[in-house]
Amino acid sequence: MITETFAMKKAAVEFDKQVLVEIYEYYSPEIFRYAFRLLDDNDLAEDCVAETFQRFLIAMRAGTEFENTRAYLYRIAHNWISDHFRRHPVPTVALKEEAHQDPEGNPSQLVVQEIDRQRVRAALLQLTAEQQLVIELRFLENLTHEEIAGMLGRSVHATRALQYRAVEALRRILSNEL
Amino acid sequence: MTETTNMDVDLDPVLKRMLTAYGNIPARIEESARRTREKFLMEIGNVLLEPTLPRSAVRRSSQAPARFYDLVRLRKIGLPAFANPMILRRLVMILIAAAIVFSGAGVTVHASSSSLPGDAIYPLKTMVENARVNLTIDSGSRARLYLDYAGRRLSEIRSLINEERYTDLARAAEEYERNILKALSAVDRLSQSDSARAASLRVEISAVLRAYTETLSQMLADLPADAQPAIRRALHAMESIAGDNNEEDDDVVVSTLTPAATITPLRGGQPSATIAASATQAATDEDVTNFTNTPDSAASQTPEGTAVTNLPETSTTFPAETPTVVVIVPSDSPTSVVVEGTNVICTSFIHAATVLNVEVPEGAACALNGTIVQGNIYVRNDATLIAQDVRVNGNLQAEGAANVEVLAGSVIVGNIQIKQGGSARIEDATVNGDIQLESNNGTFSILANRVGGNLQVFQNSGGNTIADNSINGNLQCKENSPAPSGGNNEVQGNKEDQCAGL
């Protein structure tokens, strides 16, 4: 429904409350998903979302100019998450009692899924911000290369290259673990 | 779920399985989502009602990240109802509903901007208008803004008349008068600093007032007798204003500016802050308190952290280049005193503030987090700077610094120059200009940055890693010992010398 039109950005810059709320409505679910995947905790993820949009408001108020609202929001969220993990290093992979259930799955499958999730989380946290972002956007949010390129302000070619490197790095980290 | 996803295309089955598991998350808990949303709505309210600077222009931030809106109390800007989050929420619902209904074509409809006095969401329109005024520092521009708003009130009156909503007329007429008066007091303020401009604005205003008066008179004709008083009152007010306005000459009563201490110009910095005059006689519900003068004792170097400002008392015009305000940030205290929009000598930290230039003096350490630097950052001998998520519109220059770190999504519009120093880290940054590291003797890493210009690494000792960068210009490395290591740099220009293989 909402595309990032020029009118929308201009209105946001002029601090139009209505548009700010629409921005929140539109992007907060996505930012929440991003945060939840990395943080694996509902309250923390909500904190991250709250903080991200608050900082966004400050930036708007300060007249910060940026190319792309969505990318900016991800950037803030990423910084928050990095800060969080700096203060609370990722614990070693441990199985959680209530693994996120796949109702169709049998118990051993659930265990495998949970292990996978923790491993991927730990691995992603070792990638750079942009590598993390490209993986999130490309594979989990299913954006096209063009959309991602637009967000990152890079060429489509560079984005593909970034994706390639990110996947390689991810693969390398995951296989080193074994 | 049978459609091909990106994972199908680009990943092997194992990685696909693992990433799918990672991506699978439960639905967001409604209750906490709602709470987060309410928090956001409250913050909008807070930030919207905040004037350009907090009441005390000197803002103290503590060890916890400083957010200026924490200092804001919801004030009596005449909208006490809006302190109530419930009402706020309901209004927002209305707005969103309106937006959804009307934005089928993907165009954002500003429901509040077409509202009329008496409508539920009309106060929101006022709030937005007030916010815009607060964002306008210059009195001349404010005057124009108020004139513009007065014009809007006239359109609203016209619409109310067309809809025969006569009971709401009084409110609209009052608002109209209010805006005219505010325009005039803004011009009064302007005349204290720029009487020539104020005089020409007054001429403009007279013309506009005449036009408005004519419009109002015409409206009178369309009104039934019992609805006329409100408009008559407005017309009457206009006549007396017009009378006063014409008599106005340059002998406006000038309020004296609050005297304060002296200015110490920033070493090497450009004096470029525009400081609006702070009249001691402020309009009722808005101060032009952009930079409050602290009536302070004296001396040019003040001790801890007082805002040091000085505005010439008697001038009728400000000098073309308003002198720099310098705030000394004490090194032994955990707090950081920052005045928005000024140059800062940083010896502790600055969080989310907008400042002009930043200097980290000799031997000091400074942490910037989310700071916006409109000018440059200077890091002096033996000093340390850690900058995260900053935006610097100018350059970052370090000479002889002990350690310089630029991290976490920072954006430097100019260049980064780090010379004759110790260690450095530039990671995950965007630098529109060049990055130059020269003759440093510590280790440094330059990782995963986007560089618009060149990356030049000359005559450094101590070892360095240059990897995963995206460089539009050249990657030039000469006479470093040991040679740089790293790899995976994407370079549009050339990779030269010691960095040929990186």
Side-chain angles (χ1 to χ4, degrees):
Chain A
M1 171 185 105
I2 299 176
T3 50
E4 182 139 348
T5 63
F6 174 71
M8 180 169 153
K9 237 195 318 176
K10 183 165 185 289
V13 169
E14 288 171 357
F15 219 94
D16 190 295
K17 172 177 171 132
Q18 176 187 355
V19 174
L20 290 170
V21 173
E22 285 174 11
I23 291 176
Y24 179 87
E25 297 288 314
Y26 191 61
Y27 290 119
S28 118
E30 198 175 326
I31 301 292
F32 177 82
R33 288 196 291 271
Y34 174 65
F36 187 95
R37 284 173 182 133
L38 282 172
L39 295 164
D40 202 25
D41 178 300
N42 185 77
D43 289 339
L44 274 178
E46 292 289 353
D47 280 348
C48 177
V49 172
E51 181 75 22
T52 296
F53 281 93
Q54 281 168 6
R55 293 189 68 181
F56 172 71
L57 281 180
I58 296 178
M60 293 273 73
R61 183 70 177 76
T64 309
E65 283 168 26
F66 46 82
E67 289 298 300
N68 184 295
T69 306
R70 185 189 214 165
Y72 191 72
L73 290 169
Y74 269 102
R75 171 71 68 194
I76 302 175
H78 169 82
N79 290 342
W80 191 94
I81 295 171
S82 303
D83 279 345
H84 170 84
F85 281 121
R86 237 189 301 272
R87 289 189 300 264
H88 310 94
V90 184
T92 47
V93 173
L95 281 186
K96 299 214 311 206
E97 285 297 321
E98 321 123 31
H100 298 296
Q101 313 286 329
D102 171 9
E104 323 270 291
N106 57 53
S108 61
Q109 199 177 0
L110 292 177
V111 166
V112 168
Q113 279 179 10
E114 181 61 24
I115 294 181
D116 282 350
R117 273 189 40 256
Q118 303 297 347
R119 288 179 61 207
V120 172
R121 258 180 85 219
L124 280 177
L125 288 168
Q126 295 178 51
L127 301 182
T128 67
E130 275 188 336
Q131 288 172 343
Q132 262 182 39
L133 196 54
V134 115
I135 290 185
E136 171 87 12
L137 295 173
R138 178 88 180 131
F139 300 121
L140 303 172
E141 300 289 332
N142 267 297
L143 298 188
T144 62
H145 281 127
E146 286 72 19
E147 285 168 313
I148 301 176
M151 275 181 65
L152 298 181
R154 293 192 187 214
S155 66
V156 171
H157 171 76
T159 306
R160 279 183 207 272
L162 177 64
Q163 179 195 312
Y164 176 76
R165 284 202 304 273
V167 170
E168 283 310 297
L170 188 64
R171 192 177 280 127
R172 204 178 351 154
I173 297 172
L174 287 171
S175 53
N176 277 346
E177 263 186 24
L178 292 172
Chain B
M1 273 186 287
T2 47
E3 57 190 49
T4 319
T5 61
N6 292 334
M7 283 204 221
D8 293 317
V9 172
D10 289 338
L11 295 180
D12 58 87
V14 172
L15 211 44
K16 177 180 172 190
R17 182 199 86 217
M18 297 185 75
L19 266 181
T20 306
Y22 172 75
N24 247 359
I25 53 175
R28 193 171 177 187
I29 299 179
E30 267 190 46
E31 181 53 42
S32 38
R34 205 179 316 136
R35 252 183 278 128
T36 306
R37 191 172 173 281
E38 274 174 20
K39 245 194 263 183
F40 177 71
L41 296 179
M42 288 231 54
E43 285 311 329
I44 297 186
N46 283 343
V47 183
L48 261 187
L49 294 173
E50 159 99 52
T52 313
L53 268 190
R55 287 296 170 194
S56 64
V58 168
R59 175 168 65 81
R60 298 179 179 277
S61 60
S62 60
Q63 283 284 353
R67 296 182 206 120
F68 67 81
Y69 54 82
D70 280 347
L71 304 176
V72 176
R73 315 282 168 246
L74 279 178
R75 277 190 207 97
K76 27 128 197 135
I77 292 201
L79 296 168
F82 280 80
N84 186 334
M86 293 306 285
I87 296 187
L88 204 57
R89 193 146 69 101
R90 205 166 328 134
L91 288 178
V92 170
M93 297 300 194
I94 296 175
L95 274 181
I96 298 202
I100 291 174
V101 165
F102 290 112
S103 60
V107 173
T108 314
V109 169
H110 297 261
S112 70
S113 55
S114 56
S115 64
L116 299 174
D119 291 346
I121 53 177
Y122 185 74
L124 190 61
K125 185 173 181 182
T126 317
M127 208 198 278
V128 173
E129 287 183 1
N130 284 341
R132 251 167 244 175
V133 169
N134 287 331
L135 291 172
T136 310
I137 297 180
D138 169 56
S139 292
S141 307
R142 280 196 182 199
R144 283 223 172 75
L145 206 54
Y146 280 125
L147 266 192
D148 181 52
Y149 290 163
R152 290 191 195 178
R153 302 293 92 81
L154 283 187
S155 325
E156 285 162 10
I157 292 176
R158 169 46 60 188
S159 302
L160 286 174
I161 295 178
N162 290 346
E163 292 176 28
E164 294 182 4
R165 286 167 58 174
Y166 302 129
T167 43
D168 293 320
L169 271 182
R171 167 73 190 279
E174 269 165 39
E175 289 296 314
Y176 166 76
E177 270 177 71
R178 220 173 117 258
N179 278 313
I180 295 290
L181 290 173
K182 288 202 161 184
L184 290 174
S185 48
V187 175
D188 281 346
R189 264 196 301 280
L190 180 65
S191 66
Q192 289 157 19
S193 55
D194 186 343
S195 49
R197 211 169 132 227
S200 78
L201 250 185
R202 284 214 178 88
V203 171
E204 242 184 89
I205 292 183
S206 294
V208 172
L209 276 184
R210 274 197 296 279
Y212 285 173
T213 306
E214 219 177 285
T215 310
L216 275 175
S217 312
Q218 284 167 1
M219 289 180 188
L220 214 49
D222 296 332
L223 283 175
D226 51 2
Q228 289 186 0
I231 305 295
R232 284 201 190 280
R233 229 180 348 257
L235 271 173
H236 199 67
M238 289 301 97
E239 280 162 35
S240 42
I241 287 175
D244 287 346
N245 206 32
N246 288 335
E247 278 163 15
E248 207 74 66
D249 46 40
D250 297 308
D251 265 357
V252 186
V253 174
V254 178
S255 359
T256 49
L257 304 168
T258 326
T262 43
I263 300 169
T264 318
L266 186 64
R267 251 175 304 160
Q270 308 297 336
S272 55
T274 314
I275 305 179
S278 167
T280 47
Q281 123 206 352
T284 37
D285 50 347
E286 38 140 18
D287 299 326
V288 185
T289 349
N290 293 315
F291 296 94
T292 309
N293 302 325
T294 324
D296 208 331
S297 62
S300 50
Q301 313 291 51
T302 31
E304 303 68 57
T306 0
V308 183
T309 63
N310 180 33
L311 296 168
E313 202 176 321
T314 55
S315 69
T316 49
T317 43
F318 272 104
E321 297 266 47
T322 317
T324 302
V325 171
V326 162
V327 176
I328 314 290
V329 180
S331 58
D332 56 348
S333 112
T335 62
S336 166
V337 175
V338 173
V339 178
E340 292 262 350
T342 63
N343 296 318
V344 182
I345 295 181
C346 174
T347 55
S348 57
F349 63 87
I350 307 174
H351 280 182
T354 303
V355 297
L356 273 177
N357 300 300
V358 174
E359 170 161 350
V360 188
E362 185 155 340
C366 170
L368 301 177
N369 199 330
T371 318
I372 299 174
V373 181
Q374 290 169 331
N376 306 312
I377 302 182
Y378 305 97
V379 188
R380 305 295 183 198
N381 211 29
D382 234 14
T384 300
L385 168 75
I386 310 220
Q388 297 183 77
D389 193 32
V390 300
R391 183 190 169 97
V392 181
N393 286 349
N395 306 313
L396 168 60
Q397 288 170 331
E399 239 178 79
N403 183 28
V404 176
E405 299 188 23
V406 180
L407 311 169
S410 295
V411 176
I412 316 284
V413 178
N415 308 311
I416 296 184
Q417 290 166 321
I418 304 179
K419 300 189 184 176
Q420 285 137 12
S423 50
R425 253 174 90 202
I426 307 177
E427 283 174 32
D428 209 18
T430 303
V431 180
N432 286 7
D434 301 325
I435 299 184
Q436 295 164 334
L437 283 103
E438 222 177 289
S439 307
N440 299 289
N441 60 24
T443 52
F444 56 81
S445 57
I446 307 180
L447 306 177
N449 303 290
R450 287 162 48 204
V451 185
N454 304 314
L455 172 51
Q456 295 166 324
V457 176
F458 299 149
Q459 294 167 338
N460 299 286
S461 51
N464 43 73
T465 314
I466 304 175
D468 285 322
N469 300 289
S470 199
I471 303 171
N472 278 3
N474 303 312
L475 173 54
Q476 299 163 313
C477 312
K478 284 207 248 286
E479 296 169 40
N480 299 289
S481 155
S485 59
N488 243 350
N489 295 292
E490 199 183 283
V491 179
Q492 305 289 345
N494 304 317
K495 297 183 186 181
E496 294 174 17
D497 297 302
Q498 292 176 316
C499 288
L502 299 188

